Amino acid sequence: MKSKLSSRIQTVEGSKTARFIPLLETLKRQGLPVISLAIGEPVFDTPVPVIDATKQALDRQETRYGDMAGLMALRIALAARFDGCGPENIVVCNGSKQALYTIFQSLCNPGDQVIIPVPCWVSFAEQVKLAGGEPVFVNTEDHQLDLKGIEAAVTAKTKAILINSPNNPTGAVYPRQDLERVARLAVDHDLVVIADEAYDFFVYDKLPYFSLYSLEVLRDRLIITRSFSKHYSMTGFRVGYAVAPPAVAAAMVRFQSHLTGNVCTFAQHGAVAAIGMDERLLARRREELQQKRDLAFDLVAAMFPCIRPQGAFYLFPDISAHLHRGETSADFAGRILEKTGVAIVPGDDFGMDGHVRICFAAPDDQLREAFKRIREVL
């Protein structure tokens, strides 16, 4: 049957981070003392108001088909967060991953190029390829944007530039002046900017977060994706959204009408409750994650060179000095998992070998134990 598969799907790899979920479940069933620092998931429980609102929606039988663009109450609440937006600018999707997939399907013609700074999240390039486009990678410099490199990568085929800040896997936060230069480049070359802002809430050390939406000159060519998964610890709810010009949003809804229809109705009621929550609870969670960042950074920096992350909840240390002859970061991560039971993600999954991604959104005792095991092996 393999010969019957499309050439398109045969060029696409499965998610290299999602593969850890069944692997870790298997290891745990075998009784192995596994510590997972591989999955990008907050350690916190889903807030009680979200759970209560979801249960109440189920009790009201909010279980039928809904608006394919998203629950109107949710779209109105989301639009209120963006100056000049209305519900016609909002598309609710099954997580920001599906929002990004729908964006590329709605924008890309065969051969269109999308510029992606690397290291980058594992699904960006595969989603571009699934849409018939061509990912064009530009290396970052100390995890910050190489603006000259991005400009040099622009060709007649370039359709869009993808910006992910705070960044997965590095935790880098891009400063306003760099994002303004990206915006000028997009305007000058008539390009779309896609901003993955899934980690917008997780910025540390009182560093100001700058969203590309703040640049009015860019709004008619800007598409933002955000998610309830990280911010509200709702990863399993699969609720994300895009903020887009009305014509793009309408195209995304048309595509979604054939892909999934509406997003889970009762999960969207939970999302409405999340928006109405007291932000002080969430701010305390962010402070706790900053403390975890500090703990994990001190532990990892004693073993590997590492740039201190400014946001998200990942470390991306350079482990190249510890690679055996001919070994890749994937080999290294496999060796660590086999010998220590600690799961980390190889950097080549994100386009940068010689590094690994370590999620520090874990209990403190697990962080200490995980790094202790790794240090003993090294």
Side-chain angles (χ1 to χ4, degrees):
M1 282 296 293
K2 185 175 181 181
S3 63
K4 301 295 184 181
L5 297 176
S6 70
S7 57
R8 177 179 61 256
I9 197 61
Q10 293 191 63
T11 65
V12 171
E13 297 185 56
S15 172
K16 294 177 179 178
T17 50
R19 76 178 188 272
F20 278 94
I21 297 173
L23 171 62
L24 294 172
E25 288 301 318
T26 299
L27 294 174
K28 288 176 183 176
R29 284 197 303 271
Q30 294 172 352
L32 298 178
V34 174
I35 298 176
S36 175
L37 304 182
I39 308 300
E41 189 166 42
V43 67
F44 310 111
D45 289 339
T46 304
V48 171
V50 175
I51 298 294
D52 288 345
T54 306
K55 289 179 179 177
Q56 290 163 14
L58 282 166
D59 289 339
R60 295 193 307 270
Q61 292 289 315
E62 300 279 1
T63 57
R64 306 209 177 252
Y65 290 133
D67 190 329
M68 287 174 292
L71 191 71
M72 181 56 74
L74 178 56
R75 290 161 58 205
I76 289 172
L78 289 170
R81 295 185 160 194
F82 297 89
D83 181 52
C85 268
E88 68 277 5
N89 295 99
I90 306 295
V91 183
V92 180
C93 301
N94 293 278
S96 59
K97 178 181 282 191
Q98 190 235 313
L100 286 159
Y101 178 80
T102 300
I103 289 166
F104 294 126
Q105 292 289 333
S106 301
L107 288 183
C108 289
N109 292 311
D112 280 351
Q113 296 177 343
V114 178
I115 295 173
I116 305 174
V118 288
C120 63
W121 182 51
V122 296
S123 290
F124 289 152
E126 305 308 313
Q127 291 189 352
V128 171
K129 290 191 286 185
L130 281 167
E134 177 189 351
V136 176
F137 301 113
V138 177
N139 290 328
T140 52
E141 298 178 335
D142 294 330
H143 302 336
Q144 291 294 321
L145 296 175
D146 176 2
L147 296 162
K148 291 182 179 178
I150 291 174
E151 185 167 14
V154 175
T155 71
K157 293 182 179 181
T158 306
K159 174 64 70 75
I161 303 172
L162 195 156
I163 298 295
N164 173 211
S165 175
N167 179 262
N168 176 7
T170 67
V173 177
Y174 304 144
R176 174 175 184 147
Q177 62 268 24
D178 287 357
L179 295 177
E180 288 176 337
R181 287 180 62 183
V182 170
R184 288 197 296 272
L185 181 66
V187 171
D188 291 345
H189 292 272
D190 191 24
L191 305 177
V192 176
V193 176
I194 302 164
D196 177 357
E197 297 184 349
Y199 297 90
D200 68 299
F201 183 74
F202 299 103
V203 178
Y204 309 120
D205 306 317
K206 298 183 179 179
L207 185 72
Y209 176 70
F210 184 77
S211 170
L212 279 160
Y213 193 83
S214 300
L215 302 174
E216 290 189 44
V217 68
L218 195 63
R219 290 179 187 172
D220 64 347
R221 60 180 68 248
L222 173 66
I223 309 170
I224 288 176
T225 63
R226 290 187 181 178
S227 172
F228 286 82
S229 295
K230 318 296 185 182
H231 192 158
Y232 300 100
S233 300
M234 294 170 60
T235 51
F237 279 65
R238 308 315 301 138
V239 181
Y241 61 98
V243 185
V248 175
M252 292 178 64
V253 173
R254 288 201 304 275
F255 181 80
Q256 187 158 286
S257 73
H258 298 291
L259 180 65
T260 65
N262 62 277
V263 173
C264 176
T265 49
F266 47 89
Q268 291 187 71
H269 284 280
V272 173
I275 293 175
M277 282 180 53
D278 187 338
E279 286 286 320
R280 287 177 295 183
L281 166 65
L282 302 169
R284 288 196 295 272
R285 291 184 170 189
R286 179 173 55 199
E287 290 168 4
E288 186 174 335
L289 276 171
Q290 179 174 319
Q291 293 169 2
K292 291 180 181 298
R293 187 275 314 263
D294 293 342
L295 169 64
F297 179 79
D298 289 345
L299 292 169
V300 81
M303 295 183 283
F304 314 110
C306 186
I307 297 173
R308 190 182 191 88
Q310 300 165 304
F313 29 75
Y314 307 110
L315 302 166
F316 199 62
D318 182 345
I319 50 88
S320 56
H322 293 273
L323 295 178
H324 296 165
R325 183 183 297 276
E327 196 176 40
T328 66
S329 61
D331 298 324
F332 177 86
R335 174 158 57 95
I336 292 298
L337 180 59
E338 178 184 357
K339 293 188 175 183
T340 71
V342 177
I344 54 180
V345 187
D348 44 7
D349 286 4
F350 305 96
M352 183 173 283
D353 198 6
H355 292 70
V356 292
R357 191 191 76 172
I358 301 171
C359 177
F360 58 76
D364 288 1
D365 59 340
Q366 288 191 16
L367 290 173
R368 292 190 179 93
E369 175 63 20
F371 287 113
K372 175 177 176 289
R373 294 183 192 179
I374 295 173
R375 187 171 59 250
E376 288 172 351
V377 166
L378 295 180

